[in-house]
Every structure is written in structure tokens, then in C-alpha cells.
Amino acid sequence: MSKGYTGVHAAVKFKRGIRPKHNVANGILGELQHNNILLRWRSSLWKLVWLQLLIYTSIYLAISMIYRFALPTELAIKCEKLILWVRINSLQLPLTFLLGFYVSLVVKRGWEQYVKL
């Protein structure tokens, strides 16, 4: 049994004399919500993807605003029909099937690098 810890804290081993600042039950997001570590980290994920995220969000918002406010009723109905057609036809190629090709390609490249070593 751990010394002085009860409940959630007892399930996690801490170094001697160090107590957690925040409740461990909040997980990693509970720790990050107080100190913006993602923005301060030198090799942050946000620094790698911020431009792509900004472009994707801008294009999504532009298409959404055009669809909701600028399209006449006839074109909006045609657009809804196109959306339904894409949904129906996208079920024919399951995502796991397509991901299988990607995973096999990654494993093949990794194995080739291992063999070359």
C-alpha cells in the first residue's frame, strides 16, 4: 500500500516526497490546461501542423458559408443530393481495407531498412 495516498493517487507511484499538483484523475489534459505546455514546447505538434490546420479550417468555413448563405434553393438541393451520393458510395470501400495497404507499405519500408542495416 502506498504511503499517504488514497483513491486515484494510490494507483500511481510518485517519487519520494513529491505530491501531484493536480488531480491525477484529470489525466494529461488536466495537467496541460493550466500551463500551456503545448505552446512552449520547442518541437510542438502545433508548430508542425498549424498552417495545414489553418488552411483546412478556412476552406471548410468558406464552403460551409457558401452552402448555408449564398446558394439558391435549387443548388442547395443538388448539393445535398451530391452529399448523399458520396455517403452511399463511400461505404463501398471500407476504411480499414484502405488502411491495410498503407500499413503494409510502412512495414515493407521498415523491413527494407532493417535488412540494409
Side-chain angles (χ1 to χ4, degrees):
M1 192 78 178
S2 66
K3 302 175 186 176
Y5 292 112
T6 59
V8 176
H9 300 289
V12 181
K13 294 181 181 179
F14 295 102
K15 292 182 180 178
R16 186 180 287 176
I18 298 176
R19 292 189 179 223
K21 281 184 181 180
H22 311 290
N23 188 356
V24 180
N26 291 338
I28 192 167
L29 293 178
E31 294 290 327
L32 294 178
Q33 72 184 358
H34 297 292
N35 56 12
N36 298 332
I37 194 168
L38 287 176
L39 300 176
R40 290 188 286 142
W41 186 20
R42 185 176 297 167
S43 299
S44 174
L45 175 67
W46 300 112
K47 290 181 182 178
L48 295 175
V49 300
W50 74 270
L51 183 60
Q52 290 88 357
L53 181 63
L54 180 68
I55 291 170
Y56 175 80
T57 305
S58 301
I59 292 172
Y60 176 81
L61 287 174
I63 292 172
S64 178
M65 292 300 143
I66 290 171
Y67 173 73
R68 293 175 192 268
F69 301 116
L71 285 182
T73 308
E74 302 85 31
L75 285 177
I77 292 172
K78 286 183 181 180
C79 190
E80 287 179 13
K81 288 180 181 179
L82 175 67
I83 291 170
L84 290 174
W85 180 81
V86 169
R87 281 186 186 164
I88 291 169
N89 289 326
S90 67
L91 297 176
Q92 294 175 358
L93 286 175
L95 184 62
T96 54
F97 178 72
L98 297 175
L99 285 176
F101 288 112
Y102 175 73
V103 171
S104 67
L105 179 66
V106 170
V107 170
K108 179 182 171 187
R109 288 182 181 174
W111 182 253
E112 287 175 356
Q113 288 184 358
Y114 175 76
V115 168
K116 288 181 182 179
L117 291 175

